[in-house]
Amino acid sequence: MTYDEDHAEVPEDRAAALLGELEVAIAAAPPRTSGWPDELEDLWDRAQEEPGLPLTDEQRQHFEARRERWEASFKVQRLLRSLQEAVRRGGLLDASRAAALAEACVHARLGVHNDIWLLRDLGRPHGEQALARLVQDESVDEGDRREAREWLAKLRESEYKTRAAHPVNGEELLLPQVVRDLTTGRACGWEIENEPTPERFAQARAVLEALLPDKRLASEEPPEWGGDWLEDADDRPAWLEVEMVLQPLVPDARSVTRERLIWGWHECERLGIDMEDTDPDAFADRWATRIAAFLARGMLEWLWREDCFAPWALDLAMRYIDRNVAVAEATRLLTEAAEAGSQWGPTAGGRPGPP
């Protein structure tokens, strides 16, 4: 019988049996076979392609141990997926035991993320509590901790959004009023318009002037990363994981307050995220500057997409480059202006604008 046939339906009694099978499978799994020297790993790779490759008795024992470990892991993964199906069908009653076994799988490195995904599906309270322990446990493989952080943040996202919806009355606002008046999200900018009004350009200018820092930043903001979230997960910078919390917590300029960013610092600490700042206030200052840079980047992009090459726009672009903020978009604005050969007159690219 195939896996799908055997586990297509997961009634309550079968779910209870699956928990027992998983517990036995974890206990019976042979130890891990990592830590081999490079020569043995190379020989293992060759042996997969050359079944008749001559081996010593010791090498055969090593390879057999690895195969047994893999078979045990495959069995555990199948059981975990069956339990996920039981959760989806509402047939898993003992969520506490399921969470404990999934957590044990992570420690034993048997589940290949299926254990993390079961905890995700179990949700609150048991799945979330287990994930919260795993992200803080340095004995857990970093890849598992990263996966656990991502799903723990998603489980807690509703709380972030609830906090974001609270009025900011009495909180310390960290962005200027003209910026807080924006109705766009943190990406800033607007949709490309057929005929943007002079008032729209004037607002963009006011926002960029307000966001420009007084002095050059020591490191460029906002940071850039050209990798893929999944394929390049091992190289994912820590600030991107901070954004898992801050995007829903402070989704727009109006919600950027010291109190919310400090709460975000504590939440990132809870998730085991490696932060640049050990002090919550320093974190709030850094991220207020970073969010301002994200907003400026979006507004500069909007300007060059609208063929806005007025002297004031080019001057602001040069000042942003000098201050080490939104350098790529500011440079793009200057490049587009140079290619267009534009000096602002009555129109630019057919679009009206202010003098």
Side-chain angles (χ1 to χ4, degrees):
M1 182 176 289
T2 67
Y3 167 80
D4 290 335
E5 292 170 341
D6 191 26
H7 300 85
E9 298 290 339
V10 189
E12 292 179 14
D13 56 345
R14 177 56 181 153
L18 285 169
L19 291 173
E21 292 177 38
L22 180 58
E23 187 170 10
V24 170
I26 296 170
R32 297 177 64 231
T33 58
S34 59
W36 285 359
D38 292 341
E39 296 81 3
L40 190 58
E41 289 286 1
D42 292 341
L43 187 62
W44 164 264
D45 292 337
R46 285 184 58 198
Q48 307 315 300
E49 300 175 359
E50 306 174 39
L53 188 69
L55 301 171
T56 67
D57 289 343
E58 182 180 3
Q59 289 166 346
R60 288 193 188 89
Q61 289 173 2
H62 281 304
F63 293 174
E64 183 59 30
R66 174 164 286 186
R67 292 188 189 95
E68 290 175 357
R69 171 75 181 186
W70 282 10
E71 290 174 3
S73 177
F74 293 151
K75 181 176 183 179
V76 166
Q77 291 174 58
R78 288 195 298 270
L79 291 167
L80 288 166
R81 287 194 292 269
S82 295
L83 286 167
Q84 282 182 263
E85 182 63 25
V87 173
R88 285 191 286 269
R89 293 177 180 274
L92 182 60
L93 300 182
D94 197 346
S96 175
R97 186 184 178 196
L101 289 172
E103 189 174 354
C105 284
V106 176
H107 285 287
R109 301 190 187 182
L110 288 166
V112 193
H113 291 344
N114 287 280
D115 35 25
I116 303 290
W117 300 336
L118 175 57
L119 292 172
R120 169 202 65 193
D121 292 349
L122 288 169
R124 294 182 170 182
H126 303 293
E128 179 182 341
Q129 291 168 358
L131 289 171
R133 289 189 293 268
L134 289 170
V135 297
Q136 294 290 341
D137 191 338
E138 294 185 359
S139 70
V140 174
D141 176 74
E142 179 53 36
D144 286 331
R145 291 177 71 193
R146 183 171 53 243
E147 189 77 6
R149 280 196 296 272
E150 181 175 352
W151 291 115
L152 180 57
K154 288 181 179 178
L155 282 176
R156 294 180 54 75
E157 188 172 295
S158 60
E159 182 172 351
Y160 308 158
K161 290 181 177 180
T162 298
R163 288 180 174 273
H166 290 167
V168 296
N169 300 341
E171 298 183 25
E172 182 182 349
L173 303 168
L174 298 179
L175 295 179
Q177 181 66 54
V178 67
V179 179
R180 298 198 306 274
D181 288 341
L182 287 169
T183 56
T184 58
R186 287 215 268 124
C188 198
W190 296 288
E191 296 292 330
I192 301 303
E193 304 172 18
N194 290 329
E195 295 293 337
T197 63
E199 290 76 17
R200 182 72 95 184
F201 287 115
Q203 185 182 12
R205 180 179 183 176
V207 166
L208 285 169
E209 288 175 343
L211 288 172
L212 188 70
D214 295 332
K215 59 184 179 180
R216 180 178 176 83
L217 301 184
S219 58
E220 184 179 340
E221 292 289 352
E224 299 283 350
W225 188 62
D228 181 88
W229 179 263
L230 294 177
E231 293 182 5
D232 303 310
D234 290 345
D235 301 320
R236 191 187 300 163
W239 66 266
L240 272 180
E241 295 199 320
V242 173
E243 280 283 64
M244 294 191 303
V245 175
L246 295 191
Q247 279 280 6
L249 180 64
V250 283
D252 51 44
R254 289 168 293 183
S255 59
V256 181
T257 70
R258 183 169 299 279
E259 289 80 0
R260 295 182 190 208
L261 290 174
I262 287 176
W263 189 91
W265 182 91
H266 288 288
E267 180 66 7
C268 289
E269 189 176 54
R270 170 191 172 93
L271 295 179
I273 295 172
D274 183 19
M275 291 179 288
E276 298 163 274
D277 303 285
T278 57
D279 175 68
D281 277 301
F283 174 89
D285 291 336
R286 179 187 300 276
W287 274 92
T289 299
R290 184 163 289 170
I291 291 168
F294 279 123
L295 291 164
R297 183 175 71 182
M299 194 60 74
L300 287 164
E301 179 184 2
W302 182 80
L303 287 178
W304 69 255
R305 289 188 181 279
E306 290 288 2
D307 297 329
C308 177
F309 305 134
W312 63 262
L314 303 185
D315 175 66
L316 277 169
M318 289 187 286
R319 291 165 68 190
Y320 267 93
I321 293 171
D322 179 67
R323 305 296 165 82
N324 214 16
V325 176
V327 172
E329 293 302 333
T331 302
R332 180 68 181 269
L333 176 58
L334 295 175
T335 301
E336 294 288 334
E339 290 180 355
S342 172
Q343 293 297 321
W344 195 279
T347 65
R351 298 183 185 280

